[in-house]
Amino acid sequence: MSVIQKIRDKYAVAIIVVICVAIVSFLLQDVFFGKSSMFSQSTTAGKVNGEELDYREYLRRIDVAQNQARQQLQGATLGDEDQQRIREQVWNEFIREQIMTAQYNELGIEVTTAEIADQINGKNPNPLVLQNFSDPQTGQFDRSILDRVRENARQDQTGQLSAQLVQFDNMIAEYQKNLKYITLVHQGIYYPKWLSQMQTAENAQTANISYVQVPYATISDSTIKVTDAELNKYIQDNKARFEVPESRRVEYVSFDALPSAADSAAAMSELVKLKAEMDTTPDIAGFIKLNSELPYYDGFASRSTIQVPGKDSILDIPVGTVYGPYQDNNLVVYAKMIARKTMPDTAKIRQIFIAVQPGLTDSAAKQRADSLETAIKGGADIAALALQFSDDPNSKQTGGEYTLTPSGYFAPELQLVKDFAFEGTTGAIKTVKLPIGYVVVKITEQKNFGPALKIAYLAKRVDASSTTSSEALGRANDFATANQDQKTFEKTVQEKGLNKRIADNISPMDFVLPGLGSSREIVSWAYKAKKGDVSPVFTLEDKFVVGVLTGAREKGIAPLSEVRPMVEAEVKKDKKAEQIIAKLKEPATIEAAASATNQPVLTAEGVSFAQPFIASIGYEPRLSGAAFNKAWGTAKVSAPIKGNTGVFVIKVSSYVPSPQPAMDYAQQRQAYEQSLKQFADQQLFEALKKKSDIKDNRATFFPGN
């Protein structure tokens, strides 16, 4: 006890200080590192007019979109390009959602529950209802289908709609909001009578003119000097023409790690050993699964659906025979004929799926399936029964109908259904046991009977060996080490005759680059590097890449270095126009203009105020307008006119009544307003998007792999 008391007396103050420091540290931890702290990492993937898209919500939406895409592709794997497209699609949907929601709120646009109900159950159903609840045979809207689907979707006790139908109701609400918004915009479009009268008068006649054209090409570009200050001023005076998104430009060389002759020989040697085993194995499916790069399809495929190199030779070999080896991209393959039979290349079925679920045991599900099978064999309509009883949401609205091909995708757990569709006969009915229930199947059609084949493919990938890859990596490392700046990079490329390639207009969210495939790591580096920096070695699937950042463009107005040729051409054209106009001065006659410039007097007929394209001259809207300048009329020659292809002086010789019949005002108004409405439908959202404050931070959450 004396020892404890001694510790208390000697260290009490120190212990109290330590405890206080710990408490303060704990409290400050949230200030500095908590969710709202000054040092916490943002989880905002982007903002639209201040509304945030959380990174986790962005990923959730991507996941939903990817699952939908996989369903449409019947379970096929999504490639890099598909995933990049989905990421952009989800982001653009969020942008539209926020922009339009703000518009609806500002205008007080709402859709009530009663309105949604009327859109579903009223005399004039919403187009989405008509589209999703139509009779599969006639294509016409069938309200009874809608009623059955909504009733079946209700939960047992609560009577509430399922999540899918709630989502459908939300889609209708969004449709109606957008319809109201567009209707308001359309109602603001009006074609006044005074404008109609003015345009009618303008189009009532055409002009016949004499003109002198002094092409800009008569002055050599080499005689026109421009300064950077003049070029930059032109860019600032025409900002809208030079607005650009953020992007990067990378020039690169790649060192391919392609298989050597020794690598190919090693792969072939291993494949030959496996082939000897394949010749004798009793379990061909298990053997292929364990040893082949190509999966074993334990089914038959029609001749037309088989697409492999050497197809004609493979398809005619006897059962049990092996063909090969042959090359299929980077695979070396042996093909073994397993079996042949005659079967249709297309089969149609109708099915009713009865799921084993809470409230319906396996035996009860089987009893229901057996009852349905008996009813169908007795003449009951399987399509109508599928609408009423099937638990398959993907087919019940179409009466349980599926169209199958031997090699087409069908869920693996439904393989027995597929086998029955092709091995049975048209009209046959069968109940098939599945892992999750029972399915009653009727074969409704089989067509195009012909030879069908079951083939096993023993494939070995020919990859670059570690030695080959190491050699390619060594060359890439040597190049990167010896070329640490853009100047030496370019010099070495030229001296060694390397194939330099360009990846241009790289956006922050790019994952795939043309010619390189999946290249997120390169994109990430490009947005961290400085212009002129040489990259480290990037390891891609079958190559090693070294790049140099040759362009770093920020969002805004394009720098002169990127648009110099175009800007120089425009500024030089302006200077040429000034010289030509100075030579012409104010010509008293068209002949005086011709004499001053040594150019001929030409003529053009049928010049229209409404049509800027003039025969024999081209697109020259200033000339079309000048021909109807009342200050000049037919009595005076025009002042020099700066056109697209040169400087012009014109003289109107006569005005001729237009042969076009005068339109009725009501017709003009309808045509004009319809044209503007179509233009608004196409361009309105882009205009709203341009006026919005959009911040895209997504690249922060997708660093290089």
Side-chain angles (χ1 to χ4, degrees), residues 486 510 654:
Q486 184 175 351
D510 281 346
S654 64

Side-chain angles (χ1 to χ4, degrees), residues 413-472:
E413 58 270 21
L414 299 177
Q415 185 60 44
L416 291 175
V417 174
K418 187 174 182 180
D419 291 343
F420 172 66
F422 288 97
E423 295 173 2
T425 58
T426 301
I429 302 168
K430 182 179 181 180
T431 297
V432 179
K433 175 75 168 71
L434 300 178
I436 54 175
Y438 295 84
V439 60
V440 184
V441 186
K442 180 178 181 180
I443 304 173
T444 58
E445 183 182 6
Q446 294 172 319
K447 60 183 181 179
N448 301 330
F449 281 81
L453 315 170
K454 181 184 290 189
I455 304 174
Y457 298 97
L458 175 62
K460 177 67 178 176
R461 187 184 302 277
V462 182
D463 291 324
S465 65
S466 58
T467 300
T468 302
S469 295
S470 295
E471 290 174 355

Side-chain angles (χ1 to χ4, degrees), residues 10-31:
K10 189 172 183 179
Y11 298 107
V13 175
I15 291 172
I16 292 172
V17 170
V18 170
I19 292 173
C20 290
V21 169
I23 293 173
V24 171
S25 298
F26 177 78
L27 295 174
L28 290 179
Q29 180 178 350
D30 188 62
V31 174

Side-chain angles (χ1 to χ4, degrees), residues 151 166 196 221 305 375 459 562:
E151 185 60 34
V166 169
S196 169
D221 281 356
T305 60
E562 292 189 8

Side-chain angles (χ1 to χ4, degrees), residues 617-639:
I617 297 177
Y619 181 75
E620 291 290 353
R622 290 180 179 175
L623 259 66
S624 297
F628 295 88
N629 188 325
K630 294 180 180 180
W632 295 328
T634 58
K636 296 181 181 180
V637 68
S638 74

Side-chain angles (χ1 to χ4, degrees), residues 13-132:
V13 175
I15 291 172
I16 292 172
V17 170
V18 170
I19 292 173
C20 290
V21 169
I23 293 173
V24 171
S25 298
F26 177 78
L27 295 174
L28 290 179
Q29 180 178 350
D30 188 62
V31 174
F32 287 95
F33 301 104
K35 183 176 180 180
S36 59
S37 74
M38 67 182 77
F39 295 111
S40 63
Q41 182 179 358
S42 172
T43 61
T44 303
K47 291 183 181 181
V48 177
N49 297 327
E51 294 295 327
E52 297 184 355
L53 174 62
D54 187 83
Y55 171 63
R56 291 158 295 192
E57 171 63 12
Y58 180 51
L59 290 183
R60 187 195 67 78
R61 294 188 182 200
I62 290 174
D63 187 56
V64 170
Q66 287 178 339
N67 289 334
Q68 292 174 345
R70 290 189 188 98
Q71 290 178 2
Q72 293 174 355
L73 294 172
Q74 296 185 327
T77 303
L78 297 177
D80 292 329
E81 293 84 358
D82 295 322
Q83 295 186 42
Q84 180 160 315
R85 174 183 53 79
I86 288 171
R87 279 187 286 265
E88 292 307 308
Q89 173 188 315
V90 169
W91 171 242
N92 288 329
E93 286 174 354
F94 173 74
I95 292 175
R96 184 176 189 87
E97 174 186 309
Q98 297 306 322
I99 290 175
M100 295 313 301
T101 297
Q103 291 291 306
Y104 301 151
N105 292 340
E106 185 176 351
L107 296 172
I109 295 175
E110 296 180 349
V111 175
T112 64
T113 303
E115 187 175 351
I116 295 174
D118 181 67
Q119 287 292 306
I120 296 173
N121 302 311
K123 294 182 179 180
N124 299 302
N126 188 279
L128 293 174
V129 176
L130 299 178
Q131 177 182 341
N132 286 275

Side-chain angles (χ1 to χ4, degrees), residues 347-541:
K348 284 188 177 181
I349 63 169
R350 287 190 185 274
Q351 67 171 35
I352 304 174
F353 173 54
I354 306 300
V356 175
Q357 53 189 312
L360 190 67
T361 63
D362 184 278
S363 59
K366 186 178 187 307
Q367 183 178 2
R368 181 179 296 181
D370 291 341
S371 298
L372 289 168
E373 180 183 345
T374 301
I376 296 165
K377 287 180 177 179
D381 184 359
I382 186 173
L385 294 176
L387 284 170
Q388 183 175 0
F389 294 105
S390 182
D391 293 322
D392 176 11
N394 295 321
S395 71
K396 66 182 302 178
Q397 291 183 27
T398 60
E401 186 173 65
Y402 281 98
T403 299
L404 308 177
T405 58
S407 58
Y409 176 81
F410 208 50
E413 58 270 21
L414 299 177
Q415 185 60 44
L416 291 175
V417 174
K418 187 174 182 180
D419 291 343
F420 172 66
F422 288 97
E423 295 173 2
T425 58
T426 301
I429 302 168
K430 182 179 181 180
T431 297
V432 179
K433 175 75 168 71
L434 300 178
I436 54 175
Y438 295 84
V439 60
V440 184
V441 186
K442 180 178 181 180
I443 304 173
T444 58
E445 183 182 6
Q446 294 172 319
K447 60 183 181 179
N448 301 330
F449 281 81
L453 315 170
K454 181 184 290 189
I455 304 174
Y457 298 97
L458 175 62
K460 177 67 178 176
R461 187 184 302 277
V462 182
D463 291 324
S465 65
S466 58
T467 300
T468 302
S469 295
S470 295
E471 290 174 355
L473 177 58
R475 294 195 302 273
N477 279 325
D478 290 344
F479 179 86
T481 301
N483 301 278
Q484 292 291 305
D485 57 69
Q486 184 175 351
K487 185 176 180 180
T488 56
F489 183 101
E490 297 285 354
K491 182 179 178 182
T492 303
V493 166
Q494 292 180 3
E495 289 177 349
K496 295 189 175 183
L498 299 175
N499 183 17
K500 184 182 73 173
R501 299 177 182 177
I502 298 172
D504 203 1
N505 296 319
I506 302 173
S507 298
M509 278 298 292
D510 281 346
F511 281 70
V512 178
L513 297 180
L516 291 175
S518 183
S519 315
R520 183 61 192 169
E521 192 175 0
I522 297 178
V523 175
S524 180
W525 167 82
Y527 274 86
K528 295 175 183 176
K530 296 179 181 178
K531 188 175 178 180
D533 284 356
V534 175
S535 76
V537 177
F538 295 112
T539 303
L540 303 185
E541 184 176 358

